[in-house]
Amino acid sequence: MSLPMPSRDVLAVLRRGVVIPAHPLALNGRRKLDERRQRGMTRYYLAAGAGGVAVGVHTTQFAIREAKIGLLRPVLELAAQEVRRHVEQHGGLIVKVAGICGDTKQAVAEASLARDLGYDAGLLSLSAVKTEPIEALIRHGRTVAEVIPIMGFYLQPAVGGRVLPFSFWRKLADIENLVAIKIAPFNRYQTLDVVRAVAESGRAGEIALYTGNDDNIIGDLITAYTFLCDSKPVTQRIVGGLLGHWAVWTKRAVEQLEAIKANGGEGSAGSDRSGDWLTLGVQVTDANAAFFDAAGGFAGCIAGIHEVLRRQGLLEGRWCLDPDEDLSPGQLAEIERVYAAYPHLNDDAFVEANRDAWLA
């Protein structure tokens, strides 16, 4: 059967590599959707130069799917509306990615919703089926891919994922409308499994590779990955990122990615600036450890992102849908530490200058 494919323009943007923030959820003090601030965050990301948005993902909070909450459609619709408005006013193309969760029946329903709302691809979470054998996971992926182009997702076990072997990624790469993979195992060995699988599939440069490794963002982006395939070297790059970390300080993330690309992607061996990039990478990782609550096993990761957005005035508070979900002990002090240590990483002045217009 013919599989749904995104437009050539969408594929070109994905393959070029862009910043795709994982969109948070704006709530008021009653833990209800704050539509004005939800729209304001999307406007912030687009004004900052993001090339896409990812909605209905972990950072948006998976509980939006629960019947008693019922926020999956509203948040997908709000982001799609703001993207459409931005493109009408400024031109260009913004890639819309929707998180796809659940067993196959639920995943197909979510994929259908995202397709009908104009989303370009579905980020396929395997958390709900992670105990299934590899062949069942591949069938799951193929079934969802019959509804919407998919982006594979290697999610770290600490937040609901599982270890996925090279063989899984090699088979997934054979799905024709697998358009990208978000690589987020927070593990260098497992990251290499994905990149090598795509290289050996013969689809290097066709399947866009995106980092989700919040512990190694800059390192992933500046590295050339070369493997010997059928006696020939195949080189690939991780061209962009789909990251919860990029839901804050987004303007700086766009500048960092653009600078790496302007340097030919070279930031490691042989580059005069390799030391600068590696130093910046450590600073970004240190900031991420505070925002994502690495010390607390990532329990406060969403609240940490919310706290930064609250400080910038984009969110009213750091409330999550779960009243018990908040910063971990000591996390606030860590956020304050990295704010003071790395003032060049924040985009507070950019937000301050534009926030009122975004929230109008």
Side-chain angles (χ1 to χ4, degrees), residues 153-360:
F153 185 12
Y154 201 156
L155 177 65
Q156 62 161 322
V159 289
R162 62 170 276 188
V163 174
L164 293 163
F166 170 87
S167 61
F168 168 80
W169 297 106
R170 178 62 189 83
K171 292 174 182 176
L172 194 75
D174 287 335
I175 298 177
E176 181 183 357
N177 63 344
L178 174 77
V179 294
I181 299 174
K182 171 180 173 174
I183 310 171
F186 287 36
N187 181 292
R188 305 285 74 75
Y189 300 119
Q190 292 160 8
T191 294
L192 287 174
D193 282 341
V194 179
V195 183
R196 182 166 68 90
V198 173
E200 293 193 6
S201 75
R203 299 186 65 193
E206 183 180 338
I207 297 172
L209 300 178
Y210 276 67
T211 183
N213 286 321
D214 298 83
D215 65 337
N216 195 51
I217 297 170
I218 301 298
D220 277 353
L221 294 171
I222 65 175
T223 302
Y225 301 80
T226 300
F227 300 95
L228 200 62
C229 304
D230 294 327
S231 302
K232 297 179 180 179
V234 175
T235 298
Q236 298 177 99
R237 290 189 178 278
I238 294 175
V239 296
L242 194 166
L243 292 151
H245 183 80
W246 282 354
V248 298
W249 298 357
T250 311
K251 181 68 171 175
R252 295 291 175 258
V254 170
E255 293 169 354
Q256 291 159 12
L257 182 59
E258 289 178 349
I260 290 169
K261 291 182 179 298
N263 199 34
E266 295 296 333
S268 53
S271 168
D272 291 339
R273 293 197 58 201
S274 60
D276 295 340
W277 284 119
L278 293 172
T279 298
L280 178 67
V282 170
Q283 294 171 349
V284 171
T285 298
D286 192 20
N288 178 264
F291 300 163
F292 267 46
D293 188 28
F298 307 102
C301 61
I302 294 176
I305 293 296
H306 287 185
E307 171 61 18
V308 178
L309 293 167
R310 184 200 66 77
R311 286 169 179 248
Q312 293 182 315
L314 288 165
L315 289 182
E316 183 183 359
R318 59 173 184 257
W319 305 293
C320 298
L321 288 168
D322 181 351
D324 294 328
E325 187 171 354
D326 201 353
L327 299 178
S328 291
Q331 188 179 357
L332 184 60
E334 278 296 286
I335 292 173
E336 292 171 347
R337 178 184 66 81
V338 298
Y339 238 106
Y342 312 120
H344 55 289
L345 293 184
N346 78 62
D347 62 357
D348 289 10
F350 171 69
V351 174
E352 175 69 22
N354 296 281
R355 183 184 59 237
D356 290 347
W358 298 333
L359 294 177

Side-chain angles (χ1 to χ4, degrees), residues 8 65 73 82 103 136 149 169 184 210 265 299 337 342:
R8 285 183 295 178
R65 293 165 168 81
R73 175 184 282 271
E82 289 304 323
D103 60 16
W169 297 106
Y210 276 67
R337 178 184 66 81
Y342 312 120

Side-chain angles (χ1 to χ4, degrees), residues 92-115:
L93 189 150
I94 305 296
V95 176
K96 301 182 294 298
V97 180
I100 305 295
C101 297
D103 60 16
T104 302
K105 180 180 179 181
Q106 178 183 336
V108 167
E110 292 189 9
S112 299
L113 172 63
R115 177 200 59 203

